[in-house]
Amino acid sequence: YVTSSIDQWPEIQQSLPVLTPDHLNVIPDEERELIRAAIINGDLDMIDERISMLAVGFPEIAGRLKELLKSFRLDQLNLLFKINQNS
């Protein structure tokens, strides 16, 4: 298990801001719901596909979501898409 500080990579810190659920409000409701359903179902391929589709209109958001997915931070995706443990 390796940990490191984000401060070691200032360019990443600047290009990938911390997302909040409010940032996702720019994504159309239907697309947010499709991603949300994929997260609930644990369908990593579908999550990846839906996030990739966002890159056209929302490259910064898509990039940050993709980083969370690649690092298996499903807990953070749950929080961003307002998915509680009982969904």
Side-chain angles (χ1 to χ4, degrees):
Y1 187 81
V2 177
T3 61
S4 61
S5 171
I6 191 72
D7 294 335
Q8 293 174 334
W9 302 297
E11 66 278 1
I12 293 174
Q13 192 173 21
Q14 291 173 4
S15 65
L16 297 174
V18 174
L19 288 180
T20 67
D22 289 339
H23 288 118
L24 303 183
N25 288 337
V26 298
I27 300 170
D29 291 343
E30 182 178 324
E31 190 61 34
R32 270 198 329 267
E33 285 305 312
L34 289 171
I35 296 171
R36 186 175 188 276
I39 293 168
I40 290 169
N41 291 326
D43 187 339
L44 300 180
D45 290 333
M46 182 58 70
I47 298 168
D48 186 51
E49 181 180 322
R50 302 312 308 182
I51 291 172
S52 294
M53 296 175 90
L54 289 178
V56 174
F58 311 99
E60 291 177 18
I61 292 173
R64 184 64 184 126
L65 293 173
K66 189 76 85 161
E67 287 298 317
L68 291 172
L69 180 62
K70 286 182 180 180
S71 60
F72 297 101
R73 292 305 310 265
L74 298 180
D75 59 325
Q76 290 297 312
L77 290 173
N78 285 336
L79 291 172
L80 287 170
F81 286 89
K82 299 180 180 178
I83 300 168
N84 64 38
Q85 301 295 339
N86 299 321
S87 288

